[in-house]
Amino acid sequence: MEPDDVLAGLDPEQRQVAEAVRGPVCVLAGAGTGKTRAITHRIAHAVRTGVVDPQGVLAVTFTTRAAGELRQRLRMLGAPGVQARTFHAAALRQLTYFWPKVIGGDPPSIIQSKLPLLIDACRLIRKNPDKSELRDIASEIEWAKVTQLAPDDYAAGAAKAGRASPVPVEEVARLYEAYERLRRERHLLDFETILELTAAVMTEHREVAAQIRQQYRYFVVDEYQDVNPLQKLLLDTWLGGRDDVCVVGDPNQTIYSFTGATPRYLTGFAVEHPDAAVIKLVRDYRSTPQVVGLANRILAKARTPHRLELIAQRPDGPDPVFTEFDDEAAEGEGVARAVRKLMDTGTPASEIAVLFRVNAQSEVYEQAFKSAGVSYLLRGAERFFERPEVRQAVVLLRGAARSAAAEDDLAPTVHHILAGIGLTPEPPGGGTARERWESLNALAELAEDLATKGADLPAFVAELERRASEQHAPPIEGVTLASLHAAKGLEWDAVFLVGVTDGMLPIIYAETPDQIEEERRLLYVGVTRARAHLRLSWALARSAGGRRSRRPSRFLDGLAGRPVASPRAAAAPPRERRQVAAPLSCRVCAKTLITGAEQKLGRCAGCPADLDEGLLERLKSWRAVAAKEAKIPPYVIFTDVTLQAIAERVPAVEGDLLAIPGIGRVKLDRYGEAVLALCRAASA
Ligand code: ATP
Ligand code: MG
């Protein structure tokens, strides 16, 4: 590839980024505008034109999966050998390398979770927090370490930052102190300490700093809006006063503030580097105008000084679909059906993702996909080669490779070895067994793939080792189930955003306006992952027949402007068919209705109502009496909005009553007669 070919696939602004090969560069741009593309081409261009050696480049990004994507794109652009890593992976490599030289002895072991140490720390200070408190305390310690607060400074820092501490701040501080003491005594490293120590070793040992800076001269950081103070410290230490640094990010995709990250480094880059080239990209190449339109509408409602309006470049696609379900299981089934349909019409499973706010939500979809025979993968290819089953498999395969006969067929041999540690022909049920199986199956498929290219077992093992060192996980075929946080930077043809209720998005514990805005940005990140098909859904109740107390996310208020798909469409199983479709448009102004409340009323909240006030009063009195008799709260019978909807529509027959969302068979059987009697009296 000629240097110019690398630039050919870029628009003028992206080209500007790629051609600004030296000095500080900052790209501030919205989702899908080609930031990641621009930096990969910039690196390839710099390498091809001899501005920098591939080994001199360090590209840093957020997740191992994103780093893998970067490496893949760079390979395709003819720039292999460029290091693309997460901050952690890059730091860990340097720390492990220099540890024996400057500190001596074995490097410490790395802990994947703070909880075991934290539990011991609790014992030390005789505290016994419950599991969720423990997790919250661990997050606080993480935040304190990331923002560089010592235990003694935690209380003041937490107050200043308005942190809602899970237990009294003094207690967090004591636990933090005890946790750190135990961690040092036991010779362990957590993720934050890896970064901190790498920076410290460089600062204290000039020869280490010199060697690292001699190697890395050219820095590129993707997703810079979510860099935290500790990562910034490490980046500055790497740079050591030099300014060959290019950062790209989107302030409206800041979704890690709660962990201590801040978009200030991105938005303040030009102040920090007055000679920086600041380039903006506005064309969205990822998504259809329909998806981009929704993303823009979400952003228009955000409290943000960076109102970047995306301009869609792709041809039209389907409208985003909003679907309300009765309960979570119905939502899971509905999503699985829609996924099947997409797959049947040619969308590969690997081009479909189901994204949710918290990991616990994945279970419903695992179940539904299992029943529907849809293969899925639980998380991305994160840390594939660190999974215990993969390590075990690699050890066994390596052993077998040493004694392998040349005529052994690769695929059957690998299958045989993996079967010994749990690879079955069919995937087992959900959870960890399923994850384990997915890993082993991915290894088996990789072996089959290489076998067709004539590889033998030693070659396969060598390939695994190469992939492990580059964190290049084999593709796992299946629908991705991932959290919104894990999805950033990625894209799929079809995206299902599920559980979009108030309480889940925004999550219930987001209280301050800043926290609510971060939740809104999460929705923005989710929506902008879709290339073409985008479906948002929510369930009114947790379980079948449960209280339908949920409402769609407030972020969707007034946003849809698109038909609300009925989950009870044709071919639906009986449980769904019994209910009626939600009214689609306002009976006053005919605008599409999106919120549960507006659908119930059958009109926009702002449109004039033809309300029978007398009837509403009588309905309320009736409800009070009925609730008292049944010893249940009145809203369990009918919410105020449902009563208002009844008083506006004055239903005459059962069918009219059923047509009001929120009134199903059960309610009709129980209260229909009484309500209809009141309505008939009112009409008379
Ligand atoms: P995010 O903010 O989500 O990380 P991004 O700005 O990094 O998005 P990319 O992932 O680089 O965007 O690009 C989005 C999609 O658009 C990719 O599939 C990319 O290949 C494509 N794309 C970007 N620029 C162009 C272009 N000039 N021509 C064609 N396709 C492009
Ligand atoms: Mg990107």
Side-chain angles (χ1 to χ4, degrees), residues 32 34-37 73 222-223 248 286 488-490 529:
K35 295 184 294 297
T36 305
R37 183 173 169 117
R73 291 196 197 184
D222 200 355
E223 307 275 0
V248 309
R286 175 179 294 143
K488 88 175 186 169
L490 307 177
R529 296 312 95 199

Side-chain angles (χ1 to χ4, degrees), residues 9-11 14 29-38 73 222-223 250 253 281 284-286 488-491 528-529 531:
L10 301 178
D11 73 16
Q14 293 171 338
T33 53
K35 295 184 294 297
T36 305
R37 183 173 169 117
R73 291 196 197 184
D222 200 355
E223 307 275 0
D250 175 5
Q253 290 188 71
L281 313 172
D284 182 309
Y285 292 96
R286 175 179 294 143
K488 88 175 186 169
L490 307 177
E491 58 187 31
T528 52
R529 296 312 95 199
R531 293 200 193 97

Side-chain angles (χ1 to χ4, degrees), residues 9 59 108 117 122 182 192 236 304 412 424 483 495 514 594 609:
L117 261 188
C122 289
L182 287 178
E192 299 80 54
D236 287 343
T304 167
T424 49
S483 72
V495 168
D514 285 349
I594 176 61

Side-chain angles (χ1 to χ4, degrees), residues 76-89:
M76 286 179 359
L77 288 170
V82 169
Q83 302 270 326
R85 298 186 179 276
T86 62
F87 275 102
H88 283 123

